[in-house]
Amino acid sequence: RDVDLVGGSSRVVRKRKRYLRKSTEAADRQAKSHEEQNAECDRKWGPLPDPADLYTDSRSGTTFDRPGFQKLLQDCLADPQPPDNPGRIEIYDPSRFGRPLPNGQPDTRAYRRMLWRLEEAGWRVEFVTLERSDDALADELQILFHAYNASTFSVDLSRKVRLGKKAHAEEGYWIHGLAPLGTVRVV
């Protein structure tokens, strides 16, 4: 059992699980993201006692339909923790939990519903980059603020990437991966 110091008092944390997510499966992009997130979680909470409690995804956070996250959710719901001694889900940042974007718009309700499902089962979601205050309203507002910002950043980034690709194409560059063999740019 780990001892977690919260507000100067100690409480026993019954179980720990950790979730890491990067946005792509491409090995050359965000290559060390899982390792870096895990190292930051280790610094804050110490290494996980059981490697089976580590869940990872290499997918966009725009939906909660991710294999690692769904496995985490199933495992937590199948193993509810007592309210007076909750388990802890360790995540680097609220954006790594997810940033739901149905129809290209931030959906803080989906984010909040998923947090509530886990916390109703006795699993408290904690972040390296965001300290919880143990004030339910303040925590909810703070987490949702970060979730909304992550979602709007994702929408804005997609828009900028599309504009950049369009500008590159208009300049004669090939924008869909490697150019076909024998392609020559003529200016």
Side-chain angles (χ1 to χ4, degrees), residues 44-106:
K44 182 162 185 163
W45 296 295
L48 279 174
D50 186 350
D53 290 326
L54 179 65
Y55 302 80
T56 63
D57 274 313
S58 296
R59 298 204 173 181
S60 170
T62 58
T63 176
F64 286 110
D65 188 22
R66 305 182 302 264
F69 186 84
Q70 288 299 312
K71 176 75 171 125
L72 168 72
L73 178 62
Q74 290 168 4
D75 289 354
C76 289
L77 295 178
D79 186 21
Q81 301 299 300
D84 64 332
N85 193 15
R88 178 174 59 217
I89 299 171
E90 303 166 355
I91 302 175
Y92 175 70
D93 185 79
S95 67
R96 301 297 88 198
F97 182 72
R99 47 180 181 235
L101 290 169
N103 305 318
Q105 296 300 313

Side-chain angles (χ1 to χ4, degrees), residues 102-122:
N103 305 318
Q105 296 300 313
D107 186 355
T108 55
R109 289 178 298 198
Y111 193 98
R112 190 172 61 230
R113 277 192 303 270
M114 194 56 68
L115 272 176
W116 285 349
R117 281 183 78 185
L118 290 164
E119 293 194 353
E120 284 178 348

Side-chain angles (χ1 to χ4, degrees), residues 17-36:
K17 296 189 182 295
R18 185 172 293 169
Y19 179 71
L20 312 173
R21 183 184 68 77
K22 65 178 188 160
S23 298
T24 180
E25 292 180 7
D28 62 329
R29 296 185 58 211
Q30 299 179 328
K32 295 190 175 237
S33 183
H34 286 154
E35 294 169 21
E36 292 165 351

